[in-house]
Amino acid sequence: MTSSRSTKMVVIGSGLMGTALARAFAAAGHDVAAWNRTASKARAVGGGTLAFENLVEAVAGRELVVVSLSNYAACSELFASEAVASALAGKTLVQLTSGSPADARGGLEWARAHGVAYLDAAILAYPAFVATDYATVFYAGSRAIYDRHHETLQAIAKNSVYVDEKIGSAATLDCAILEAYYGGTLAVLHAAAMCKAEGLDPKVFFAQKNSFLGLISVTADAAQGMIESNDFSGDQCSLNTHVAAIEHIVRLSMDARISARFPKELLENYKRALSAGLGEQELPAVFRTLKQD
Ligand code: NAP
């Protein structure tokens, strides 16, 4: 998709993600400079981008600065240079480096001190999905800054979501989704390992993907309502019964001699809810014990 207005911009970082972002912006018709610590990677971006070896020169004359580095420590190291900070003054920086909400707030503090307009952003996609319908980017910060650059930013993800004015909220939402993703993925892999260890082809389990994803979806909907009303009572399945099911998973893992660390951790969390007197409530009641931690 070509943008109606070409933005002069720079993408700092030509790693796997930075390269995909720079190429997507360039493909949408923007004037894109690329800079990377290891200069050869910036030169390899191609797709009509202009590679710079000097960061100050890369930033000069650019309106929008998109950053995609490994972590915020790398960004701090880079922006500690007075020459770089001066070059960034007056520009809009979209921070697409993953981090915690505290990292994002630290970034805003630095940006304010140096006269840089700042958006905290988080991308939910693998590089291959950048610029497709499957990419989502969350943004937080000034609505006015977001609105000014929204059209340009659409080049990397059709699904641009403005989360909140509060810096850190994009990082929070990203961490929340990633926790569900990594936790869910580990559960899926452990489940496949259990099947294999018991002589059941894991493909039989994967064929039931829609069953377990459906269960998670129904539970997430129920949890949302219960958390909002702070009422975890119900007539479907008590936590006592769920805990007994988790004990079977621990037992299977130990009998089959595969790691039982994950189901044991699950059991410990759910049992804590029983100790808190929540055994007769529904599964999402565990939320109460997490708040108390
Ligand atoms: P990557 O391929 O490892 O690239 C890391 C980049 O950071 C490289 O450009 C690297 O430069 C640079 N860098 C690291 N330390 C630096 C320092 N001290 N000073 C200057 N530059 C430094 O990682 P990536 O996959 O592109 O990830 C980049 C960001 O996107 C991360 O925050 C990641 O969490 C996020 N993200 C990635 C994905 C994904 O699927 N890949 C998905 C969502 C979000 P050199 O080339 O010189 O080492």
Side-chain angles (χ1 to χ4, degrees):
M1 186 186 75
T2 306
S3 184
S4 61
R5 183 176 83 91
S6 174
T7 302
K8 276 179 81 74
M9 59 188 302
V10 54
V11 177
I12 298 178
S14 314
L16 295 171
M17 183 53 80
T19 295
L21 297 174
R23 285 179 182 158
F25 283 123
H30 300 294
D31 177 348
V32 184
W35 179 89
N36 194 60
R37 178 180 60 178
T38 308
S40 57
K41 288 198 204 164
R43 286 194 295 273
V45 174
T49 61
L50 197 58
F52 283 83
E53 293 209 2
N54 180 300
L55 181 53
V56 172
E57 288 172 14
V59 169
R62 307 272 153 187
E63 173 190 355
L64 188 64
V65 179
V66 171
V67 183
S68 176
L69 299 181
S70 302
N71 48 50
Y72 274 72
C75 302
S76 300
E77 201 181 298
L78 211 57
F79 300 157
S81 148
E82 268 312 314
V84 171
S86 310
L88 289 168
K91 320 226 179 263
T92 296
L93 190 152
V94 179
Q95 181 52 280
L96 267 157
T97 299
S98 302
S100 71
D103 286 330
R105 289 189 284 271
L108 176 67
E109 219 170 282
W110 176 90
R112 278 190 176 144
H114 293 86
V116 177
Y118 189 82
L119 284 179
D120 156 37
I123 183 158
L124 204 63
Y126 287 110
F129 296 101
V130 166
T132 72
D133 291 346
Y134 299 103
T136 297
V137 181
F138 301 119
Y139 296 93
S142 153
R143 178 86 216 196
I145 298 174
Y146 173 75
D147 287 344
R148 198 177 317 138
H149 298 286
H150 173 253
E151 193 188 337
T152 304
L153 295 169
Q154 285 286 95
I156 54 172
K158 306 279 177 302
N159 197 17
S160 295
V161 180
Y162 177 78
V163 183
D164 200 84
E165 191 88 18
K166 193 172 150 204
I167 287 283
S169 53
T172 302
L173 185 56
D174 187 46
C175 286
I177 292 173
L178 288 180
E179 187 192 30
Y181 175 61
Y182 291 125
T185 301
L186 184 57
V188 164
L189 296 173
H190 189 272
M194 283 198 306
C195 292
K196 196 160 168 45
E198 277 292 328
L200 178 68
D201 191 329
K203 76 179 180 203
V204 178
F205 159 67
F206 287 115
Q208 293 303 317
K209 184 177 75 173
N210 291 339
S211 309
F212 61 76
L213 291 181
L215 264 178
I216 292 171
S217 175
V218 163
T219 306
D221 289 345
Q224 183 185 345
M226 288 176 174
I227 290 168
E228 272 165 19
S229 63
N230 197 29
D231 178 0
F232 298 87
S233 60
D235 57 6
Q236 294 304 301
C237 187
S238 72
L239 256 169
N240 285 324
T241 305
H242 284 295
V243 163
I246 300 169
E247 279 168 344
H248 302 150
I249 301 168
V250 172
R251 174 90 195 277
L252 186 163
S253 304
M254 291 171 70
D255 288 351
R257 295 182 179 279
I258 62 162
S259 170
R261 221 176 288 155
F262 177 67
K264 276 185 176 169
E265 179 72 27
L266 275 182
L267 188 60
E268 194 197 310
N269 273 278
Y270 285 96
K271 269 192 162 170
R272 215 176 304 143
L274 300 196
S275 306
L278 303 170
E280 290 305 324
Q281 305 209 342
E282 295 286 315
L283 189 66
V286 174
F287 181 76
R288 282 190 165 155
T289 63
L290 300 177
K291 278 209 298 187
Q292 285 160 10
D293 268 357

